[in-house]
Amino acid sequence: MTHFDKGSESIWIEGKRSLSGRIPIQGSKNAALPILAACMLIPGKCVLNGCPDITDIKCMCSLLKSTGAEVDINSAKAGNQITIDTRNVREHRLPEKYVSAMRSSVVMMGAMLGRLGEVYVNYPGGCVIGERPINLHLYGLEKLGAQIWIEGNHIHAYADELKGAVIDLPFPSVGATQNIILAAVTAQGTTIIKNAAREPEIIELCKFLNKAGAKIDYAGAFLPEGRIVIHGIELSRLHEVSYEIITDRIVAGTYLFATLAAGGEVTLENIPIGQLDSICDIITRMGAMIALNEDGSEVTIYANEREKIINIPYIETQVYPAFPTDLQSPLLAAACMAKGQLKVQEKIFTSRFRIVEELRRMGADVTVEKDLAVVTGGRELEGRTVIARELRGGAALVIAGLCASGITTVADAGYIGRGYQNIVEDLTKLGARIRYGN
Ligand code: EPZ
């Protein structure tokens, strides 16, 4: 039960305290969500360990239950254990309230087509960070033989038999790649995805499905062609599995930027090994020091020498392994506390700078011109009541609050609870004066 479920929609922070200590990193939201959807394909009981205790995961579990699956969430120290039994799955219509609440529900389409041959779902719609169309999802499913009718705001997809195809994605969409993989696992014949997304969460989905008996060759995802090959198998060949969810690279990156901004020395335990390179590269270029332990499972950031923290001239967000769009807002907040100017180009989403107006209210010198934000750091931030408009922007406001003079209250902090399991507890452990409420 996350604190946000209790309706505590604000976070209170007393700023200007550096951070120190060590905290473990939670399970990955963006790895767990598609793997939960993939459980729909497996006629039996699957067990996922290390799932984060966040509202988006609860929403996906409710969605699975609405199809007739039995879902149990058992809290455990190292993240929740979720058991999914899909033997009685029979409902192909997905409730609008869950799909509208969490647009990544759309990856259920591929799994439902693979399992039931039919799915009825409302358009997930855009959100504050952009339009977020699903044309590439529908393109891929149609290439696999699904018939798709658009009825008002609803999509009705039906597939008598899914057939393997060659699908060349014009853009390596994470969600579209996941939907195509899920529908192709039990299709007749072989599917080749070209220009597939190669984020770690895609690889984890392939590993999970292969452990359940699927035949996916994902090594080609790292080639320039970005090639993932799925050899279709009979549904009955898929079997029950248990799987450990990897930890969350975006949550780890958020805490690294929080320490860069507030100052201090922090160690993050149980990080996803090898997935933070682009983030650590930027943080060291901004003047902090980074050290990994022997097996790469822990990272320590040293950001005590404040006069050394500087902005680098230009960063753009790009697909993995480049700098991730999900850390663009936390970077903006950290850049406010560094000397000099940073230009950030957002290349993935159409409007992911909404948080800038809140940072400006705290006194930050940030301007936005279309998809380019320009931050001039070094100014003192003032504590204010600010509004989280979405998940990662909300986390960025917490970072700004850690650095501002006086008290900052982040309202609508329920958005943050969608992806951060213990942001208040974690930062408290690191010495921040932070609590729920206002
Ligand atoms: C996933 O979203 C993540 N969500 C996002 O994280 C992340 O920002 C994004 O990938 C990029 O890495 C989950 O994994 C649940 P995309 P997704 O399809 O799949 C356009 C967070 O904070 N596009 O790669 O929606 C789209 O509009 C969230 O955890 C189309 O045009 O990302 C966007 O501009 C936010 N047509 C771009 O591609 C399509 O059919 C990237 O979208 C699909 C996407």
Side-chain angles (χ1 to χ4, degrees):
M1 175 85 162
T2 58
H3 203 97
F4 295 95
D5 295 340
K6 298 174 195 137
S8 158
E9 291 285 305
S10 294
I11 294 179
W12 174 97
I13 306 159
E14 181 184 327
K16 296 188 83 64
R17 296 169 69 89
S18 60
L19 302 176
S20 69
R22 55 178 37 233
I23 49 173
I25 295 301
Q26 70 180 62
S28 163
K29 167 176 87 79
N30 292 351
L33 289 171
I35 288 174
L36 280 163
C39 291
M40 285 301 294
L41 278 172
I42 299 162
K45 191 182 278 194
C46 290
V47 178
L48 304 182
N49 293 307
C51 294
D53 187 12
I54 52 178
T55 42
D56 271 15
I57 293 294
K58 290 198 179 73
C59 184
M60 184 59 96
C61 289
S62 302
L63 204 48
L64 294 176
K65 283 182 190 165
S66 70
T67 68
E70 281 171 45
V71 181
D72 291 307
I73 303 180
N74 301 301
S75 296
K77 191 163 172 356
N80 289 343
Q81 180 183 75
I82 301 180
T83 305
I84 305 100
D85 185 340
T86 68
R87 275 172 291 196
N88 299 322
V89 157
R90 61 196 172 286
E91 178 55 69
H92 70 272
R93 286 166 304 187
L94 299 179
E96 184 147 353
K97 65 177 174 180
Y98 300 129
V99 177
S100 302
M102 185 183 65
R103 50 178 323 290
S104 51
S105 313
V106 71
V107 290
M108 284 284 281
M109 288 185 75
M112 299 288 281
L113 284 171
R115 180 66 188 271
L116 298 178
E118 188 170 17
V119 62
Y120 185 75
V121 64
N122 61 286
Y123 254 96
C127 69
V128 75
I129 67 175
E131 268 309 294
R132 308 197 70 181
I134 58 167
N135 57 309
L136 301 180
H137 298 240
L138 302 181
Y139 163 70
L141 296 176
E142 281 179 326
K143 289 279 280 185
L144 291 168
Q147 296 169 59
I148 294 180
W149 299 273
I150 308 295
E151 297 156 9
N153 182 38
H154 282 82
I155 306 162
H156 188 188
Y158 180 80
D160 223 357
E161 188 180 58
L162 291 162
K163 288 197 178 61
V166 177
I167 301 169
D168 198 343
L169 286 175
F171 174 83
S173 154
V174 171
T177 301
Q178 290 166 346
N179 246 332
I180 293 164
I181 289 170
L182 289 166
V185 164
T186 59
Q188 292 286 329
T190 296
T191 296
I192 298 173
I193 308 174
K194 294 180 178 177
N195 196 28
R198 60 190 71 173
E199 274 66 9
E201 295 78 25
I202 299 282
I203 306 308
E204 285 301 306
L205 175 63
C206 294
K207 285 181 177 174
F208 169 79
L209 287 165
N210 280 349
K211 189 174 179 186
K215 299 238 174 299
I216 305 173
D217 175 0
Y218 53 82
F222 301 104
L223 299 175
E225 187 193 15
R227 182 189 182 97
I228 295 179
V229 181
I230 304 104
H231 303 283
I233 59 164
E234 285 296 314
L235 185 70
S236 57
R237 297 271 304 278
L238 291 173
H239 55 76
E240 301 179 341
V241 282
S242 66
Y243 197 77
E244 184 73 29
I245 298 294
I246 54 165
T247 52
D248 196 310
R249 61 191 171 100
I250 304 301
V251 170
T254 304
Y255 290 150
L256 290 174
F257 280 120
T259 310
L260 180 70
E265 178 180 321
V266 165
T267 296
L268 304 180
E269 301 166 342
N270 197 17
I271 58 170
I273 296 175
Q275 297 180 16
L276 301 178
D277 294 357
S278 67
I279 300 152
C280 293
D281 171 56
I282 282 178
I283 286 178
T284 44
R285 286 167 60 198
M286 287 180 73
M289 275 173 53
I290 288 273
L292 291 171
N293 71 341
E294 213 167 319
D295 67 358
S297 64
E298 290 186 359
V299 62
T300 301
I301 174 173
Y302 305 87
N304 276 315
E305 297 176 82
R306 301 310 295 161
E307 69 289 351
K308 286 187 179 174
I309 307 302
I310 55 162
N311 277 318
I312 47 186
Y314 175 80
I315 291 171
E316 65 181 38
T317 63
Q318 263 306 348
V319 297
Y320 194 82
F323 186 73
T325 174
D326 290 350
L327 285 173
Q328 180 253 92
S329 297
L331 165 67
L332 286 189
C336 294
M337 307 313 294
K339 280 192 282 301
Q341 188 182 81
L342 163 69
K343 288 182 178 171
V344 182
Q345 190 107 40
E346 173 55 54
K347 307 277 272 187
I348 302 294
F349 286 103
T350 53
S351 63
R352 202 166 196 176
F353 287 130
R354 284 294 302 277
I355 216 63
V356 165
E357 59 192 272
E358 299 303 307
L359 291 173
R360 287 169 60 86
R361 290 182 53 231
M362 296 176 74
D365 181 350
V366 199
T367 54
V368 174
E369 197 57 39
K370 292 206 198 78
D371 59 358
L372 183 76
V374 182
V375 185
T376 304
R379 253 202 217 166
E380 167 112 341
L381 297 185
E382 309 270 315
R384 285 280 185 283
T385 294
V386 287
I387 303 171
R389 300 181 190 282
E390 38 85 24
L391 167 57
R392 307 301 175 186
L397 290 175
V398 170
I399 293 175
L402 293 174
C403 310
S405 58
I407 304 299
T408 297
T409 301
V410 181
D412 286 353
Y415 282 112
I416 305 173
R418 293 188 54 172
Y420 293 86
Q421 174 179 299
N422 296 318
I423 194 164
V424 169
E425 295 82 349
D426 286 342
L427 292 173
T428 301
K429 232 187 262 175
L430 297 178
R433 298 284 305 278
I434 180 172
R435 65 166 188 259
Y436 299 107
N438 43 34

